[in-house]
């Protein structure tokens, strides 16, 4: 998982058969608001809640965005 997430987010149990299908990963070149709307809809559709969205978010990023997130201080994201 993503070390920047607080323990309670890293320990989230994903719903049974959790298999989100993201059409594209966020790479910083598209509209972030649009991407987040699609991300929230996708995770919600497969049974996820806000904690699941947080724990899965690093998978939805690529490039500099993922690098930034993965290098934040461990345990610094609480929600």
């Amino acid at each position: 998982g993503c070390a920047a997430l607080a323990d309670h987010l890293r320990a989230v149990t994903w719903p049974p058969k959790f298999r989100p299908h993201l059409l594209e990963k966020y790479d910083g070149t598209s509209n972030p608001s649009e991407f987040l709307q699609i991300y929230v809809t996708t995770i919600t559709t497969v049974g996820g809640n806000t904690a699941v969205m947080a724990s899965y978010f690093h998978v939805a990023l690529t490039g500099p965005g993922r690098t930034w997130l993965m290098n934040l201080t461990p345990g610094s994201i609480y929600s």
Side-chain angles (χ1 to χ4, degrees):
C2 179
L5 297 176
D7 290 341
H8 72 280
L9 292 174
R10 292 185 62 159
V12 166
T13 301
W14 293 349
K17 300 181 183 179
F18 181 73
R19 305 253 189 296
H21 179 67
L22 295 171
L23 298 176
E24 60 186 58
K25 294 185 178 202
Y26 185 72
D27 64 2
T29 61
S30 61
N31 182 317
S33 294
E34 182 179 309
F35 174 79
L36 287 174
Q37 288 176 44
I38 293 167
Y39 180 76
V40 168
T41 300
T42 301
I43 301 302
T44 303
T45 300
V46 295
N49 57 24
T50 56
V52 171
M53 286 179 211
S55 70
Y56 191 75
F57 192 63
H58 69 285
V59 177
L61 301 176
T62 189
R66 181 184 288 172
T67 299
W68 167 79
L69 179 62
M70 299 301 279
N71 286 288
L72 290 175
T73 303
S76 63
I77 298 175
Y78 291 87
S79 63

